[in-house]
């Protein structure tokens, strides 16, 4: 019988999801964070104990009670996240056993599952010169499956990504302040030509997180010095690593967070960064 078969993306990092969700529940559960500021939601009152931050004391509630009361806060829920997936020619580069796009998709799936457990809504936009896939306003248990099916048919396009067009599309789809997670490359030339001119438009409205796949072979080459030819390769690798470190530092100084890791480490590193943002109230 005629039929169509859809091959879903590999999701080896799914084994990490349960432990990351448990950590999220720990943040939101019994150990409620006593944090101040916009980034956390009010949870409840409790009696003041020695060691509490005096700035957390609620004087109005205290005036109506017999004890000194402090406000407890918990990590925010019901936030909005937009994942931007660069599907241009840079995403076709081979890293490890797959492409940069393969590693980005797997990291996006783990992040989506964690965001669903956190009660956040997620949009996804895969883009190079035009939108290749899109998911809008999805949350809850169905989020991860929708992301998986949306990204199943994406392949890298051998064209330069229109970064300005990608940012315009992102701004049109995200009116309220959100966490924008942009999966792209941190190569020096790509950052100078594509990212730096358009990042201020996103950063002034949203919290921006740049996610990049690093090549483990470059890091390995930087450590090999057994033969003369190894020295030349090590010098070139060191130059690439130094350039990447400089780019990351320049982005961080502008308030843009960066997660860069090998394909095997990227999903977990991104999930940990998301949990840190939740815990600190930076979203």
């Amino acid at each position: 019988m005629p039929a169509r078969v859809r091959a879903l993306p590999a999701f080896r990092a799914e084994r990490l999801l349960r432990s990351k969700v448990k950590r999220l529940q720990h943040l939101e559960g019994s150990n409620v964070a006593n944090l101040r500021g916009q980034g956390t939601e009010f949870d409840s009152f409790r009696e003041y104990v020695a060691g509490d931050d005096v700035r957390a004391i609620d004087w109005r509630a205290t005036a109506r009670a017999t004890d000194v009361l402090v406000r407890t806060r918990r990590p925010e829920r019901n936030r909005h996240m937009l994942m931007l997936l660069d599907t241009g020619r840079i995403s076709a580069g081979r890293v490890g056993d797959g492409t940069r796009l393969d590693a980005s998709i797997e990291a996006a799936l783990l992040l989506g599952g964690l965001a669903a457990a956190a009660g956040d809504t997620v949009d996804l936009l895969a883009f190079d010169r035009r939108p290749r896939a899109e998911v809008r306003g999805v949350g809850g248990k169905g989020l991860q499956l929708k992301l998986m099916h949306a990204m199943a048919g994406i392949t890298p396009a051998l064209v330069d990504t229109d970064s300005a067009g990608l940012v315009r599309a992102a701004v049109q789809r995200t009116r309220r302040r959100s966490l924008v997670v942009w999966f792209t490359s941190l190569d020096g030339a790509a950052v100078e030509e594509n990212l730096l001119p358009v990042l201020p438009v996103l950063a002034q409205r949203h919290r921006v997180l740049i996610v990049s796949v690093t090549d483990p072979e470059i890091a390995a080459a930087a450590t090999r010095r057994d033969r003369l030819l190894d020295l030349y390769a090590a010098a070139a690798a060191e130059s690439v690593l130094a350039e990447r470190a400089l780019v990351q530092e320049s982005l961080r100084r502008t308030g843009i967070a960066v997660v860069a890791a090998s394909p095997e480490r990227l999903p977990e590193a991104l999930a940990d960064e998301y949990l840190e943002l939740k815990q600190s109230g930076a979203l």
Side-chain angles (χ1 to χ4, degrees), residues 182-232:
W182 190 344
F183 295 86
T184 186
S185 171
L186 283 180
D187 294 337
V191 171
E192 291 182 7
E193 296 175 8
N194 300 326
L195 286 184
L196 292 182
V198 299
L199 273 177
V201 177
L202 278 180
Q204 70 181 358
R205 300 187 183 191
H206 308 290
R207 178 85 180 189
V208 180
L209 174 60
I210 300 295
V211 183
S212 178
V213 185
T214 60
D215 190 344
E217 292 185 5
I218 294 178
T223 64
R224 288 195 294 264
R225 291 172 169 80
D226 299 331
R227 301 176 302 163
L228 181 61
L229 290 178
D230 292 338
L231 291 177
Y232 291 113

Side-chain angles (χ1 to χ4, degrees), residues 12 27 41 65 73 85 99 125 150 162 237 247 255 271:
R12 295 175 294 271
L27 293 178
E41 296 177 342
R73 298 178 180 270
L85 205 60
T99 65
L125 177 63
D162 179 8
V247 167

